[in-house]
Amino acid sequence: MAPSTLTINGETLTFEAGQTILDVARGAGIEVPTLCDYKDTTPTGSCRVCVVEVEGARTLLPACVTQAAPGMVIQTESSRVVEARKMVIELMLTSGNHNCLICEANGACELQALAYRYQVPFPIYAQPPDTPSYLEDNKHLIRRDLSKCIMCGRCVRACQEKQVNMAISIGYRGAHNKIVARGDLPYGDSDCVFCGECVQACPVGALVELKALGQARSWETEKIRTTCAYCGVGCQLSLHVKDGKIVKVTGVEDGAPNKGRLCVKGRFGYDFIYSPDRLTTPLIRDKKGGELREASWDEALDLVADKLKDIIAQHGPDAVAGVSCARSINEDSYQMQKLFRAVIGTNNIDHCART
């Protein structure tokens, strides 16, 4: 059976059944802008930024929810498409408080980027900066500013489909609809577990990390990929670093095994590395009851090995027990239990996250 084909911007492309126009375009390296589309979630076609012109169609069609069909002839940047996108972007700017100069998302805002790409001027009748809006800043980990929300629904799908926490949804109707948490309660009183997936999904400045406020502009930070140290899963993190200090953490979208997902500790629990009480070198006692002093790793490990040997010689291997740290990777925990069972000769080995 011959593969189905369609034409996008004069280029003939093949596609598989079930693919959308957006899927086919992206597969061919053709960029179709969108604000509501979010990877690994159900497309909704709510933002209407991805509209394209399909020959024979009465209206412009949203590429993210329109199924590709054989023989389609599509234009993604025709004058009609561009004018429609400019109008949609202008309406979004008009309906909210988008003061880019002081917005935390400045430089990383997808709406701002599209306004620049299509040269959409700031609307004359846009809401002024002092427009009353719902701003939730209650000393929790996430700040919500619904005056900047464009109702793309990405945060809801991130919560419901990626994390499956079901903590937020779209509430009310018409011009009054907005994102709500458990009957329109503050985040702190809702079912939110503060994983922060909604913050990472937000394309504008409606959801931001409270701890990151005012710490750095997006272009001032360097992204450094690393592995989360809180448990053995191995979630991939992007550390946003300015002047050698972490200002926020996001999940690596294509990084296995988490695919961008993080828990509350992985996303927000990085302060401990700056604690003045954190040990930076091993401490040992030369004699029982003596004062702790700094030592090298070789000296500290030799001392531990000698003490274990003494205990085993006097009382047998079952007098020794080990607890593996939950922050260790699975391979390290495996090696530790191997050390206790095969070398020391005891099964007294446990894991601090087992319970």
Side-chain angles (χ1 to χ4, degrees), residues 3-18:
S4 300
T5 62
L6 52 69
T7 302
I8 300 181
N9 298 342
E11 183 179 354
T12 301
L13 304 170
T14 60
F15 66 92
E16 299 177 0

Side-chain angles (χ1 to χ4, degrees), residues 322-329 332-334 336 349-353:
V323 178
S324 178
C325 177
R327 291 185 177 180
S328 301
I329 59 175
D332 286 347
S333 291
Y334 173 82
M336 185 167 179
I349 179 71
D350 208 342
H351 193 287
C352 64

Side-chain angles (χ1 to χ4, degrees), residues 66-202:
T66 303
Q67 296 290 307
M72 273 185 169
V73 178
I74 304 162
Q75 293 293 326
T76 66
E77 293 289 336
S78 65
S79 58
R80 186 182 175 197
V81 167
V82 170
E83 286 304 312
R85 287 178 185 161
K86 290 175 70 173
M87 181 185 69
V88 170
I89 294 167
E90 185 172 1
L91 287 172
M92 288 182 180
L93 292 172
T94 302
S95 64
N97 178 17
H98 299 287
N99 188 340
C100 295
L101 290 177
I102 59 173
C103 181
E104 189 67 24
N106 186 11
C109 174
E110 296 178 35
L111 177 61
Q112 181 190 54
L114 287 177
Y116 181 82
R117 171 177 172 175
Y118 289 104
Q119 291 296 289
V120 179
F122 196 77
I124 298 175
Y125 300 106
Q127 298 185 37
D130 60 348
T131 299
S133 62
Y134 177 70
L135 176 65
E136 182 183 324
D137 189 352
N138 58 2
K139 306 307 178 187
H140 282 82
L141 299 172
I142 299 172
R143 190 187 78 167
R144 292 195 293 169
D145 184 355
L146 295 187
S147 72
K148 293 179 172 59
C149 179
I150 59 174
M151 291 302 298
C152 65
R154 278 165 53 166
C155 60
V156 174
R157 281 175 282 135
C159 179
Q160 295 187 357
E161 298 183 31
K162 294 192 75 171
Q163 294 287 57
V164 199
N165 286 328
M166 317 300 286
I168 58 176
S169 59
I170 297 176
Y172 305 99
R173 295 183 178 181
H176 302 289
N177 70 339
K178 65 177 183 176
I179 308 300
V180 298
R182 195 185 177 188
D184 206 8
L185 293 175
Y187 262 19
D189 299 326
S190 72
D191 298 323
C192 177
V193 298
F194 292 95
C195 69
E197 190 70 25
C198 58
V199 179
Q200 186 159 327
C202 183

